[in-house]
Amino acid sequence: MAAAGLQHVAAMYAGVVAPPLVVGAAVGLSAGELTFLTGACLFTAGLATFLQTLGIGGIGARLPFVNGVTFAGVAPMTAVAASVKDKSEALPVIFGAVIVAGVLGFVAAPYFGKAVRFFPPVVTGSVITLIGVSLLPVAFGWAQGPDPAAADYGSPTSLGLAAATLLVVLVLRRFTRGFVKQIAVLLGLVVGTLVAIPFGVTDFGPVAAADVVGFPTPFHFGAPEFRLAAILSLCVVMVVSMTESTADMLALGEIVDRPADERTIAAGLRADTLGSALSPLFNGFMCSAFAQNIGLVAMTRIRSRYVVATGGGFLVLMGLCPMAASLIAVVPRPVLGGAGVVLFGSVAASGIQTLVRAGLEKDNNVLIVAVSLAVGIIPITAPGFYHAFPQTARIVLDSGISTGCVTAVVLNLVFNHLGRGREDAGEVTHPMEAGEDLAAAPAR
C-alpha cells in the first residue's frame, strides 16, 4: 500500500509543485518563501485527497482520486499578480478570490451535475487546450534562466540544460515502463539538476536553511483580501475545474466498475470545492482532481481508494517537512523549463484529445473551437491588446483561459442549444466550407 501510494505521489508531484513555482516567481518570493509556499500546497493537496477518497458525510466521491493544485488557476493568478502594484498584496488577493470561488462552488455542486450538459467536449477540450498553451510560455521563460535582466539569460548553457532535461524525460518515457516511466518527469528533474552542478547554477542553500519539521502557518502571507475582478476570474476557473473533475469522475467510475451517478458527482465536487475554500487558510491554492492518476489506476489495476488516501498521507508529511519541500527550490530554472515543456505540453495534448471526441465534423463545433482558441490566445500573442481597458477588467481579459472559456460556453449555447442550432449543425470537410443548408439556401 505504501509503495502504491508513493507511486501516485510520484505521478503527480511535479504537477503539484509547478503552480506555486509559477505564482511564487510572479509575486517575487524569495527562495525561503517559495519553499514555504510549495510545502503549503503539498499539505493542502493531501488534505483535499483525504476529503475526496475517505469522505465526510455527503462530501467526497470515495473514489481513488488524487487532488492537488489545478493548472487552470495558474494563468489567472499570475494575471492578478501582474495587476497588483505592491507584490506583497498579490497572494492575499489570490487567496481571497480562491475562498469565494470555493464557497460558491460548494453551494453550486449539487446543481452542477445537471448543468454539465452545457460543458460538452467541444467546450472542455477548448479550455484544457488553452490551459496548456497559456502555460507553455512559462516553461520557455524558465528555460532561459531565472532573471531576464541577467547577462546569461537565454545563454547556450541555460538552453542546453533545458534540452538535456527534456531529452532525459523523453528517453525514460520511451524506453522504460512501469514505475520508472511514471516518474520520468521527476527523474528528469533529478538528472538535470545533477548535470547543472558543474555549471554553477545549482544552489543548495534553501535545503541547508530549511527546517526538518515545520507547519504551514495559517495566513502566513497576510489575511485574505477580496477584490471583485480577481474573484470573477477565479470563479471562471472554478467552473472549468468543476467541469474537469466531473469528466474525471465519469472516466474513473468506468475504470473501477462503479459508474459515477449524479449523487457521486455532487459529493466529489463538494470535496473539490471545500478543499479549495479551506486551502488558502494554510496558504494553498485551488484544488482539483489530477487526471494523470486516473491513467495510473487503469494501468496498475489497483483500484483501492485507501491506496490513494495513503498517497495523500505522504503529501501531508511532505508538507510538514520544509526540507523535503525545499528540494524543488534547488532545481535550476532551465531544468524546470525542460520538464515544463513536457508537463504543460501534455495538458494541451490532453485538450486536443478531448477535442477529437467533440464532433469536429460539424461546422458549428469547428467555429466554436476556432473562435474560442483565437480569443484565448490573444493575451499570449498580443499581451497589450487590452491596454485601453480598466485595470480591473484586464485581470479577466488578460487571462486567456477565462476569456476562452466564456467564449466557448456562449458560442456552444448559441450554436448547439438555442433556436435551430442543432438542426443547422451540418457536416463539413473543411472548416472554411459552408454547411449543406447554407450552400442550398437561396441568395437574398
Side-chain angles (χ1 to χ4, degrees), residues 67-74 76-77 94-109 112 116 119 124 127 131 230-247 249 268-280 284-289 399 401-402 405-406 409:
N67 272 40
V69 182
T70 175
F71 277 108
V74 173
M77 287 190 292
I94 291 171
F95 291 149
V98 171
I99 290 173
V100 174
V103 171
L104 294 178
F106 186 85
V107 174
F112 195 82
V116 74
F119 297 88
T124 56
V127 175
I131 292 171
I231 290 172
L232 291 176
S233 183
L234 269 296
C235 281
V236 172
V237 174
M238 178 57 73
V239 173
V240 175
S241 177
M242 293 172 72
T243 304
E244 291 180 31
S245 290
T246 300
M249 279 183 269
L269 292 178
R270 286 193 192 99
D272 274 3
T273 53
L274 180 60
S276 296
L278 295 177
S279 187
F285 299 132
M286 190 178 293
C287 295
S288 178
S399 169
I401 297 171
S402 300
C405 178
V406 172
V409 171

Short mmCIF file of all heavy atoms in Angstrom, two decimals, residues 67-74 76-77 94-109 112 116 119 124 127 131 230-247 249 268-280 284-289 399 401-402 405-406 409:
data_model
loop_
_atom_site.label_atom_id
_atom_site.label_comp_id
_atom_site.label_asym_id
_atom_site.label_seq_id
_atom_site.Cartn_x
_atom_site.Cartn_y
_atom_site.Cartn_z
N ASN A 67 -6.07 14.60 -5.32
CA ASN A 67 -6.37 16.01 -5.53
C ASN A 67 -5.12 16.86 -5.32
O ASN A 67 -4.29 16.55 -4.46
CB ASN A 67 -7.46 16.48 -4.55
CG ASN A 67 -8.86 16.26 -5.10
OD1 ASN A 67 -9.11 15.23 -5.71
ND2 ASN A 67 -9.74 17.20 -4.89
N GLY A 68 -5.02 17.92 -6.09
CA GLY A 68 -3.89 18.82 -5.94
C GLY A 68 -4.19 20.16 -6.57
O GLY A 68 -5.31 20.41 -7.03
N VAL A 69 -3.20 21.04 -6.61
CA VAL A 69 -3.39 22.38 -7.17
C VAL A 69 -3.67 22.28 -8.66
O VAL A 69 -2.92 21.64 -9.41
CB VAL A 69 -2.14 23.25 -6.94
CG1 VAL A 69 -2.36 24.65 -7.48
CG2 VAL A 69 -1.80 23.30 -5.46
N THR A 70 -4.77 22.88 -9.10
CA THR A 70 -5.14 22.80 -10.51
C THR A 70 -4.32 23.76 -11.37
O THR A 70 -4.03 24.89 -10.97
CB THR A 70 -6.64 23.11 -10.69
OG1 THR A 70 -6.95 23.14 -12.09
CG2 THR A 70 -7.03 24.44 -10.07
N PHE A 71 -3.93 23.31 -12.56
CA PHE A 71 -3.22 24.16 -13.52
C PHE A 71 -4.09 25.29 -14.02
O PHE A 71 -3.60 26.33 -14.43
CB PHE A 71 -2.77 23.32 -14.72
CG PHE A 71 -1.49 22.57 -14.50
CD1 PHE A 71 -1.51 21.20 -14.33
CD2 PHE A 71 -0.28 23.22 -14.47
CE1 PHE A 71 -0.35 20.49 -14.13
CE2 PHE A 71 0.90 22.52 -14.28
CZ PHE A 71 0.87 21.15 -14.11
N ALA A 72 -5.41 25.07 -14.02
CA ALA A 72 -6.32 26.05 -14.62
C ALA A 72 -6.22 27.41 -13.96
O ALA A 72 -6.47 28.43 -14.60
CB ALA A 72 -7.75 25.53 -14.54
N GLY A 73 -5.85 27.45 -12.68
CA GLY A 73 -5.80 28.72 -11.97
C GLY A 73 -4.49 29.48 -12.11
O GLY A 73 -4.41 30.64 -11.68
N VAL A 74 -3.48 28.86 -12.72
CA VAL A 74 -2.15 29.48 -12.74
C VAL A 74 -2.15 30.77 -13.54
O VAL A 74 -1.70 31.82 -13.07
CB VAL A 74 -1.11 28.50 -13.29
CG1 VAL A 74 0.24 29.20 -13.47
CG2 VAL A 74 -0.95 27.31 -12.35
N PRO A 76 -4.70 32.82 -14.55
CA PRO A 76 -5.44 33.91 -13.91
C PRO A 76 -4.76 34.45 -12.65
O PRO A 76 -4.80 35.65 -12.40
CB PRO A 76 -6.80 33.28 -13.57
CG PRO A 76 -6.94 32.15 -14.53
CD PRO A 76 -5.56 31.63 -14.73
N MET A 77 -4.13 33.58 -11.87
CA MET A 77 -3.45 34.04 -10.65
C MET A 77 -2.24 34.90 -10.99
O MET A 77 -1.98 35.90 -10.31
CB MET A 77 -3.06 32.85 -9.77
CG MET A 77 -4.25 32.20 -9.08
SD MET A 77 -3.80 30.99 -7.81
CE MET A 77 -3.08 29.68 -8.79
N ILE A 94 -5.21 36.80 -4.15
CA ILE A 94 -5.45 35.49 -4.77
C ILE A 94 -6.17 34.57 -3.79
O ILE A 94 -7.15 33.89 -4.14
CB ILE A 94 -4.12 34.87 -5.23
CG1 ILE A 94 -3.55 35.66 -6.42
CG2 ILE A 94 -4.31 33.40 -5.61
CD1 ILE A 94 -2.15 35.25 -6.81
N PHE A 95 -5.70 34.54 -2.54
CA PHE A 95 -6.33 33.66 -1.53
C PHE A 95 -7.79 34.05 -1.30
O PHE A 95 -8.66 33.19 -1.16
CB PHE A 95 -5.54 33.72 -0.22
CG PHE A 95 -4.18 33.10 -0.29
CD1 PHE A 95 -3.13 33.58 0.48
CD2 PHE A 95 -3.94 32.02 -1.13
CE1 PHE A 95 -1.87 32.99 0.42
CE2 PHE A 95 -2.68 31.44 -1.21
CZ PHE A 95 -1.64 31.93 -0.44
N GLY A 96 -8.06 35.35 -1.24
CA GLY A 96 -9.44 35.79 -1.05
C GLY A 96 -10.34 35.34 -2.19
O GLY A 96 -11.47 34.89 -1.97
N ALA A 97 -9.84 35.44 -3.42
CA ALA A 97 -10.63 35.03 -4.59
C ALA A 97 -10.86 33.52 -4.59
O ALA A 97 -11.95 33.05 -4.93
CB ALA A 97 -9.91 35.46 -5.87
N VAL A 98 -9.85 32.75 -4.18
CA VAL A 98 -9.99 31.29 -4.13
C VAL A 98 -11.03 30.89 -3.08
O VAL A 98 -11.84 29.98 -3.30
CB VAL A 98 -8.63 30.63 -3.83
CG1 VAL A 98 -8.82 29.13 -3.56
CG2 VAL A 98 -7.67 30.83 -4.99
N ILE A 99 -11.03 31.56 -1.94
CA ILE A 99 -12.00 31.25 -0.88
C ILE A 99 -13.43 31.47 -1.39
O ILE A 99 -14.30 30.61 -1.23
CB ILE A 99 -11.74 32.11 0.36
CG1 ILE A 99 -10.44 31.68 1.05
CG2 ILE A 99 -12.91 31.99 1.35
CD1 ILE A 99 -10.01 32.58 2.19
N VAL A 100 -13.68 32.62 -2.00
CA VAL A 100 -15.03 32.92 -2.50
C VAL A 100 -15.42 31.92 -3.59
O VAL A 100 -16.55 31.40 -3.59
CB VAL A 100 -15.09 34.36 -3.04
CG1 VAL A 100 -16.45 34.62 -3.69
CG2 VAL A 100 -14.85 35.36 -1.93
N ALA A 101 -14.51 31.65 -4.52
CA ALA A 101 -14.81 30.70 -5.59
C ALA A 101 -15.11 29.31 -5.03
O ALA A 101 -16.01 28.61 -5.51
CB ALA A 101 -13.64 30.63 -6.58
N GLY A 102 -14.35 28.91 -3.99
CA GLY A 102 -14.58 27.61 -3.37
C GLY A 102 -15.93 27.53 -2.69
O GLY A 102 -16.65 26.52 -2.81
N VAL A 103 -16.31 28.57 -1.96
CA VAL A 103 -17.60 28.58 -1.26
C VAL A 103 -18.75 28.55 -2.26
O VAL A 103 -19.71 27.77 -2.11
CB VAL A 103 -17.71 29.83 -0.35
CG1 VAL A 103 -19.12 29.96 0.20
CG2 VAL A 103 -16.71 29.73 0.79
N LEU A 104 -18.67 29.38 -3.31
CA LEU A 104 -19.71 29.39 -4.32
C LEU A 104 -19.79 28.05 -5.05
O LEU A 104 -20.89 27.56 -5.36
CB LEU A 104 -19.47 30.52 -5.33
CG LEU A 104 -19.59 31.95 -4.77
CD1 LEU A 104 -19.27 32.98 -5.86
CD2 LEU A 104 -20.99 32.20 -4.23
N GLY A 105 -18.64 27.45 -5.31
CA GLY A 105 -18.62 26.14 -5.95
C GLY A 105 -19.25 25.07 -5.08
O GLY A 105 -19.96 24.18 -5.57
N PHE A 106 -19.00 25.14 -3.77
CA PHE A 106 -19.59 24.18 -2.84
C PHE A 106 -21.12 24.27 -2.85
O PHE A 106 -21.82 23.26 -2.86
CB PHE A 106 -19.06 24.43 -1.42
CG PHE A 106 -19.50 23.40 -0.41
CD1 PHE A 106 -18.79 22.22 -0.25
CD2 PHE A 106 -20.61 23.61 0.38
CE1 PHE A 106 -19.18 21.27 0.67
CE2 PHE A 106 -21.02 22.67 1.30
CZ PHE A 106 -20.30 21.49 1.46
N VAL A 107 -21.63 25.49 -2.89
CA VAL A 107 -23.08 25.69 -2.93
C VAL A 107 -23.66 25.19 -4.25
O VAL A 107 -24.75 24.60 -4.29
CB VAL A 107 -23.42 27.19 -2.73
CG1 VAL A 107 -24.91 27.44 -2.92
CG2 VAL A 107 -22.97 27.65 -1.35
N ALA A 108 -22.91 25.39 -5.33
CA ALA A 108 -23.42 25.03 -6.66
C ALA A 108 -23.21 23.56 -7.00
O ALA A 108 -23.78 23.08 -7.99
CB ALA A 108 -22.73 25.90 -7.72
N ALA A 109 -22.43 22.83 -6.21
CA ALA A 109 -22.07 21.44 -6.53
C ALA A 109 -23.28 20.55 -6.83
O ALA A 109 -23.26 19.80 -7.82
CB ALA A 109 -21.23 20.84 -5.40
N PHE A 112 -24.52 21.36 -10.33
CA PHE A 112 -23.59 21.39 -11.45
C PHE A 112 -23.73 20.14 -12.31
O PHE A 112 -23.55 20.21 -13.53
CB PHE A 112 -22.15 21.49 -10.94
CG PHE A 112 -21.16 21.87 -12.01
CD1 PHE A 112 -20.99 23.19 -12.38
CD2 PHE A 112 -20.43 20.90 -12.66
CE1 PHE A 112 -20.09 23.54 -13.38
CE2 PHE A 112 -19.52 21.23 -13.66
CZ PHE A 112 -19.36 22.56 -14.01
N VAL A 116 -24.01 20.21 -16.44
CA VAL A 116 -22.80 19.80 -17.13
C VAL A 116 -23.03 19.62 -18.63
O VAL A 116 -22.08 19.61 -19.42
CB VAL A 116 -22.26 18.49 -16.50
CG1 VAL A 116 -23.11 17.29 -16.90
CG2 VAL A 116 -20.81 18.26 -16.88
N PHE A 119 -21.39 21.97 -20.88
CA PHE A 119 -19.93 21.91 -20.98
C PHE A 119 -19.53 20.61 -21.68
O PHE A 119 -18.88 19.75 -21.09
CB PHE A 119 -19.29 21.99 -19.59
CG PHE A 119 -19.55 23.28 -18.89
CD1 PHE A 119 -20.68 23.45 -18.10
CD2 PHE A 119 -18.67 24.34 -19.01
CE1 PHE A 119 -20.93 24.64 -17.45
CE2 PHE A 119 -18.91 25.54 -18.37
CZ PHE A 119 -20.05 25.69 -17.58
N THR A 124 -14.97 21.88 -23.03
CA THR A 124 -13.89 21.48 -22.12
C THR A 124 -12.59 21.26 -22.88
O THR A 124 -11.51 21.60 -22.38
CB THR A 124 -14.28 20.20 -21.36
OG1 THR A 124 -14.60 19.16 -22.30
CG2 THR A 124 -15.48 20.43 -20.46
N VAL A 127 -10.97 24.62 -23.56
CA VAL A 127 -10.43 25.23 -22.35
C VAL A 127 -9.15 24.52 -21.91
O VAL A 127 -8.15 25.17 -21.56
CB VAL A 127 -11.47 25.21 -21.22
CG1 VAL A 127 -10.87 25.73 -19.93
CG2 VAL A 127 -12.69 26.04 -21.61
N ILE A 131 -5.37 26.01 -21.50
CA ILE A 131 -4.58 25.94 -20.26
C ILE A 131 -3.14 25.58 -20.59
O ILE A 131 -2.19 26.22 -20.12
CB ILE A 131 -5.20 24.91 -19.29
CG1 ILE A 131 -6.55 25.41 -18.77
CG2 ILE A 131 -4.25 24.65 -18.11
CD1 ILE A 131 -7.32 24.37 -17.98
N ALA A 230 -10.67 39.93 -9.35
CA ALA A 230 -9.96 38.68 -9.07
C ALA A 230 -10.94 37.55 -8.76
O ALA A 230 -10.75 36.41 -9.19
CB ALA A 230 -8.98 38.87 -7.91
N ILE A 231 -11.99 37.87 -8.02
CA ILE A 231 -12.99 36.86 -7.67
C ILE A 231 -13.68 36.34 -8.92
O ILE A 231 -13.86 35.12 -9.08
CB ILE A 231 -14.02 37.46 -6.68
CG1 ILE A 231 -13.35 37.69 -5.31
CG2 ILE A 231 -15.22 36.53 -6.52
CD1 ILE A 231 -14.23 38.45 -4.34
N LEU A 232 -14.07 37.25 -9.83
CA LEU A 232 -14.73 36.83 -11.07
C LEU A 232 -13.82 35.91 -11.89
O LEU A 232 -14.25 34.89 -12.43
CB LEU A 232 -15.13 38.05 -11.89
CG LEU A 232 -16.26 38.91 -11.32
CD1 LEU A 232 -16.47 40.15 -12.20
CD2 LEU A 232 -17.55 38.12 -11.21
N SER A 233 -12.55 36.27 -11.97
CA SER A 233 -11.59 35.48 -12.73
C SER A 233 -11.45 34.08 -12.15
O SER A 233 -11.48 33.08 -12.88
CB SER A 233 -10.23 36.18 -12.76
OG SER A 233 -9.31 35.45 -13.55
N LEU A 234 -11.33 33.97 -10.83
CA LEU A 234 -11.15 32.66 -10.19
C LEU A 234 -12.46 31.87 -10.17
O LEU A 234 -12.42 30.63 -10.13
CB LEU A 234 -10.60 32.82 -8.78
CG LEU A 234 -9.06 32.81 -8.64
CD1 LEU A 234 -8.50 31.45 -9.04
CD2 LEU A 234 -8.41 33.89 -9.50
N CYS A 235 -13.60 32.55 -10.20
CA CYS A 235 -14.89 31.83 -10.29
C CYS A 235 -15.00 31.12 -11.65
O CYS A 235 -15.51 30.01 -11.74
CB CYS A 235 -16.05 32.79 -10.10
SG CYS A 235 -16.37 33.20 -8.36
N VAL A 236 -14.52 31.79 -12.71
CA VAL A 236 -14.49 31.14 -14.02
C VAL A 236 -13.60 29.91 -13.97
O VAL A 236 -13.95 28.84 -14.50
CB VAL A 236 -13.99 32.13 -15.10
CG1 VAL A 236 -13.77 31.41 -16.43
CG2 VAL A 236 -14.99 33.26 -15.29
N VAL A 237 -12.45 30.04 -13.31
CA VAL A 237 -11.55 28.90 -13.16
C VAL A 237 -12.23 27.77 -12.38
O VAL A 237 -12.06 26.58 -12.70
CB VAL A 237 -10.24 29.32 -12.46
CG1 VAL A 237 -9.37 28.12 -12.17
CG2 VAL A 237 -9.49 30.33 -13.31
N MET A 238 -13.01 28.13 -11.36
CA MET A 238 -13.71 27.12 -10.58
C MET A 238 -14.69 26.33 -11.46
O MET A 238 -14.80 25.11 -11.33
CB MET A 238 -14.45 27.77 -9.41
CG MET A 238 -15.25 26.79 -8.55
SD MET A 238 -14.26 25.43 -7.87
CE MET A 238 -13.34 26.31 -6.59
N VAL A 239 -15.39 27.03 -12.35
CA VAL A 239 -16.31 26.35 -13.26
C VAL A 239 -15.54 25.38 -14.16
O VAL A 239 -15.96 24.23 -14.37
CB VAL A 239 -17.08 27.37 -14.12
CG1 VAL A 239 -17.90 26.67 -15.20
CG2 VAL A 239 -18.00 28.21 -13.24
N VAL A 240 -14.39 25.83 -14.67
CA VAL A 240 -13.55 24.97 -15.50
C VAL A 240 -13.08 23.76 -14.70
O VAL A 240 -13.12 22.61 -15.16
CB VAL A 240 -12.35 25.75 -16.05
CG1 VAL A 240 -11.41 24.82 -16.81
CG2 VAL A 240 -12.81 26.88 -16.96
N SER A 241 -12.62 24.01 -13.47
CA SER A 241 -12.12 22.95 -12.62
C SER A 241 -13.21 21.93 -12.30
O SER A 241 -12.97 20.71 -12.33
CB SER A 241 -11.57 23.55 -11.32
OG SER A 241 -11.15 22.54 -10.43
N MET A 242 -14.42 22.41 -12.01
CA MET A 242 -15.53 21.50 -11.71
C MET A 242 -15.90 20.68 -12.95
O MET A 242 -16.27 19.50 -12.83
CB MET A 242 -16.73 22.30 -11.21
CG MET A 242 -16.50 22.96 -9.86
SD MET A 242 -17.82 24.09 -9.35
CE MET A 242 -19.14 22.93 -8.97
N THR A 243 -15.79 21.29 -14.12
CA THR A 243 -16.07 20.56 -15.36
C THR A 243 -15.06 19.45 -15.56
O THR A 243 -15.42 18.31 -15.89
CB THR A 243 -16.04 21.53 -16.56
OG1 THR A 243 -16.97 22.59 -16.34
CG2 THR A 243 -16.39 20.81 -17.84
N GLU A 244 -13.77 19.76 -15.35
CA GLU A 244 -12.72 18.76 -15.49
C GLU A 244 -12.93 17.63 -14.48
O GLU A 244 -12.80 16.45 -14.81
CB GLU A 244 -11.35 19.40 -15.28
CG GLU A 244 -10.93 20.35 -16.39
CD GLU A 244 -9.56 20.94 -16.10
OE1 GLU A 244 -8.73 20.27 -15.48
OE2 GLU A 244 -9.32 22.09 -16.49
N SER A 245 -13.24 17.98 -13.24
CA SER A 245 -13.42 16.97 -12.20
C SER A 245 -14.61 16.06 -12.51
O SER A 245 -14.56 14.85 -12.26
CB SER A 245 -13.63 17.64 -10.83
OG SER A 245 -12.43 18.24 -10.39
N THR A 246 -15.67 16.65 -13.05
CA THR A 246 -16.83 15.84 -13.43
C THR A 246 -16.45 14.83 -14.50
O THR A 246 -16.80 13.64 -14.41
CB THR A 246 -17.97 16.75 -13.95
OG1 THR A 246 -18.35 17.65 -12.91
CG2 THR A 246 -19.17 15.93 -14.37
N ALA A 247 -15.72 15.28 -15.51
CA ALA A 247 -15.26 14.37 -16.56
C ALA A 247 -14.35 13.29 -15.99
O ALA A 247 -14.44 12.11 -16.37
CB ALA A 247 -14.54 15.16 -17.65
N MET A 249 -14.36 12.11 -12.91
CA MET A 249 -15.15 11.17 -12.12
C MET A 249 -15.89 10.18 -13.00
O MET A 249 -15.98 8.98 -12.68
CB MET A 249 -16.13 11.93 -11.22
CG MET A 249 -15.52 12.45 -9.94
SD MET A 249 -16.72 13.26 -8.86
CE MET A 249 -16.60 14.93 -9.43
N GLY A 268 -18.35 14.47 -5.00
CA GLY A 268 -16.97 14.71 -5.41
C GLY A 268 -16.68 16.18 -5.61
O GLY A 268 -15.61 16.67 -5.22
N LEU A 269 -17.63 16.90 -6.19
CA LEU A 269 -17.45 18.34 -6.39
C LEU A 269 -17.45 19.09 -5.06
O LEU A 269 -16.75 20.09 -4.91
CB LEU A 269 -18.54 18.89 -7.31
CG LEU A 269 -18.48 18.41 -8.77
CD1 LEU A 269 -19.64 18.98 -9.57
CD2 LEU A 269 -17.16 18.78 -9.41
N ARG A 270 -18.23 18.60 -4.10
CA ARG A 270 -18.19 19.22 -2.76
C ARG A 270 -16.80 19.09 -2.16
O ARG A 270 -16.29 20.01 -1.52
CB ARG A 270 -19.22 18.56 -1.84
CG ARG A 270 -20.67 18.93 -2.13
CD ARG A 270 -21.57 18.49 -0.99
NE ARG A 270 -22.98 18.58 -1.35
CZ ARG A 270 -23.72 17.55 -1.73
NH1 ARG A 270 -23.17 16.34 -1.81
NH2 ARG A 270 -24.98 17.71 -2.04
N ALA A 271 -16.16 17.93 -2.35
CA ALA A 271 -14.81 17.73 -1.82
C ALA A 271 -13.82 18.67 -2.50
O ALA A 271 -12.97 19.29 -1.85
CB ALA A 271 -14.38 16.27 -2.00
N ASP A 272 -13.92 18.78 -3.82
CA ASP A 272 -13.04 19.69 -4.57
C ASP A 272 -13.19 21.13 -4.08
O ASP A 272 -12.19 21.82 -3.79
CB ASP A 272 -13.38 19.64 -6.06
CG ASP A 272 -12.66 18.52 -6.78
OD1 ASP A 272 -11.94 17.76 -6.12
OD2 ASP A 272 -12.82 18.41 -8.01
N THR A 273 -14.44 21.58 -4.00
CA THR A 273 -14.68 22.99 -3.68
C THR A 273 -14.41 23.30 -2.21
O THR A 273 -13.90 24.37 -1.89
CB THR A 273 -16.13 23.36 -4.04
OG1 THR A 273 -17.03 22.43 -3.41
CG2 THR A 273 -16.33 23.30 -5.54
N LEU A 274 -14.73 22.35 -1.31
CA LEU A 274 -14.43 22.58 0.10
C LEU A 274 -12.92 22.59 0.32
O LEU A 274 -12.39 23.43 1.07
CB LEU A 274 -15.08 21.50 0.97
CG LEU A 274 -14.83 21.62 2.48
CD1 LEU A 274 -15.36 22.94 3.02
CD2 LEU A 274 -15.47 20.44 3.23
N GLY A 275 -12.22 21.67 -0.35
CA GLY A 275 -10.76 21.67 -0.26
C GLY A 275 -10.17 22.97 -0.78
O GLY A 275 -9.21 23.51 -0.21
N SER A 276 -10.77 23.52 -1.84
CA SER A 276 -10.29 24.79 -2.39
C SER A 276 -10.56 25.94 -1.44
O SER A 276 -9.73 26.83 -1.26
CB SER A 276 -10.98 25.07 -3.74
OG SER A 276 -10.63 24.09 -4.69
N ALA A 277 -11.75 25.94 -0.80
CA ALA A 277 -12.10 27.03 0.13
C ALA A 277 -11.23 27.02 1.37
O ALA A 277 -10.90 28.08 1.92
CB ALA A 277 -13.58 26.92 0.52
N LEU A 278 -10.84 25.82 1.84
CA LEU A 278 -10.02 25.71 3.05
C LEU A 278 -8.53 25.86 2.75
O LEU A 278 -7.76 26.21 3.64
CB LEU A 278 -10.27 24.35 3.72
CG LEU A 278 -11.67 24.11 4.28
CD1 LEU A 278 -11.77 22.68 4.85
CD2 LEU A 278 -12.01 25.13 5.36
N SER A 279 -8.13 25.60 1.51
CA SER A 279 -6.71 25.61 1.15
C SER A 279 -6.01 26.94 1.46
O SER A 279 -4.90 26.95 2.00
CB SER A 279 -6.56 25.25 -0.33
OG SER A 279 -5.21 25.10 -0.68
N PRO A 280 -6.62 28.10 1.15
CA PRO A 280 -5.94 29.38 1.45
C PRO A 280 -5.69 29.60 2.93
O PRO A 280 -4.79 30.39 3.28
CB PRO A 280 -6.92 30.43 0.89
CG PRO A 280 -7.67 29.72 -0.18
CD PRO A 280 -7.84 28.32 0.34
N GLY A 284 -2.54 27.62 0.55
CA GLY A 284 -2.59 26.82 -0.67
C GLY A 284 -3.54 27.43 -1.68
O GLY A 284 -4.24 28.41 -1.41
N PHE A 285 -3.58 26.81 -2.87
CA PHE A 285 -4.40 27.32 -3.97
C PHE A 285 -5.57 26.38 -4.25
O PHE A 285 -5.80 25.41 -3.54
CB PHE A 285 -3.54 27.49 -5.23
CG PHE A 285 -2.41 28.46 -5.07
CD1 PHE A 285 -1.12 28.13 -5.49
CD2 PHE A 285 -2.61 29.71 -4.50
CE1 PHE A 285 -0.07 29.03 -5.35
CE2 PHE A 285 -1.57 30.61 -4.36
CZ PHE A 285 -0.29 30.27 -4.78
N MET A 286 -6.29 26.67 -5.32
CA MET A 286 -7.47 25.90 -5.71
C MET A 286 -7.10 24.45 -6.03
O MET A 286 -6.10 24.18 -6.70
CB MET A 286 -8.12 26.54 -6.93
CG MET A 286 -9.47 25.99 -7.29
SD MET A 286 -10.18 26.87 -8.72
CE MET A 286 -10.45 28.50 -8.00
N CYS A 287 -7.90 23.51 -5.53
CA CYS A 287 -7.62 22.08 -5.69
C CYS A 287 -8.58 21.44 -6.68
O CYS A 287 -9.74 21.84 -6.80
CB CYS A 287 -7.72 21.37 -4.34
SG CYS A 287 -6.47 21.87 -3.14
N SER A 288 -8.09 20.41 -7.36
CA SER A 288 -8.91 19.68 -8.32
C SER A 288 -8.33 18.29 -8.49
O SER A 288 -7.18 18.02 -8.09
CB SER A 288 -8.94 20.41 -9.66
OG SER A 288 -9.69 19.69 -10.61
N ALA A 289 -9.11 17.38 -9.08
CA ALA A 289 -8.64 16.02 -9.32
C ALA A 289 -7.53 16.02 -10.37
O ALA A 289 -7.56 16.82 -11.31
CB ALA A 289 -9.80 15.15 -9.78
N SER A 399 -6.47 37.01 -18.98
CA SER A 399 -6.43 35.56 -18.76
C SER A 399 -7.09 34.88 -19.95
O SER A 399 -8.32 34.89 -20.09
CB SER A 399 -7.16 35.18 -17.46
OG SER A 399 -7.33 33.78 -17.39
N ILE A 401 -7.48 31.83 -20.51
CA ILE A 401 -8.33 30.72 -20.09
C ILE A 401 -9.73 31.21 -19.76
O ILE A 401 -10.74 30.61 -20.16
CB ILE A 401 -7.70 30.01 -18.87
CG1 ILE A 401 -6.34 29.41 -19.25
CG2 ILE A 401 -8.63 28.91 -18.35
CD1 ILE A 401 -5.56 28.88 -18.07
N SER A 402 -9.81 32.31 -19.02
CA SER A 402 -11.11 32.85 -18.64
C SER A 402 -11.90 33.32 -19.86
O SER A 402 -13.07 32.95 -20.04
CB SER A 402 -10.93 34.02 -17.66
OG SER A 402 -10.26 33.61 -16.50
N CYS A 405 -12.87 30.37 -22.12
CA CYS A 405 -13.93 29.54 -21.54
C CYS A 405 -15.29 30.21 -21.73
O CYS A 405 -16.26 29.56 -22.15
CB CYS A 405 -13.65 29.30 -20.06
SG CYS A 405 -14.94 28.34 -19.21
N VAL A 406 -15.36 31.49 -21.40
CA VAL A 406 -16.63 32.21 -21.55
C VAL A 406 -17.08 32.20 -23.01
O VAL A 406 -18.25 31.97 -23.33
CB VAL A 406 -16.49 33.66 -21.04
CG1 VAL A 406 -17.73 34.47 -21.37
CG2 VAL A 406 -16.25 33.67 -19.53
N VAL A 409 -18.42 28.67 -23.95
CA VAL A 409 -19.73 28.39 -23.36
C VAL A 409 -20.82 29.15 -24.10
O VAL A 409 -21.87 28.59 -24.45
CB VAL A 409 -19.74 28.74 -21.85
CG1 VAL A 409 -21.15 28.66 -21.30
CG2 VAL A 409 -18.83 27.80 -21.08
#
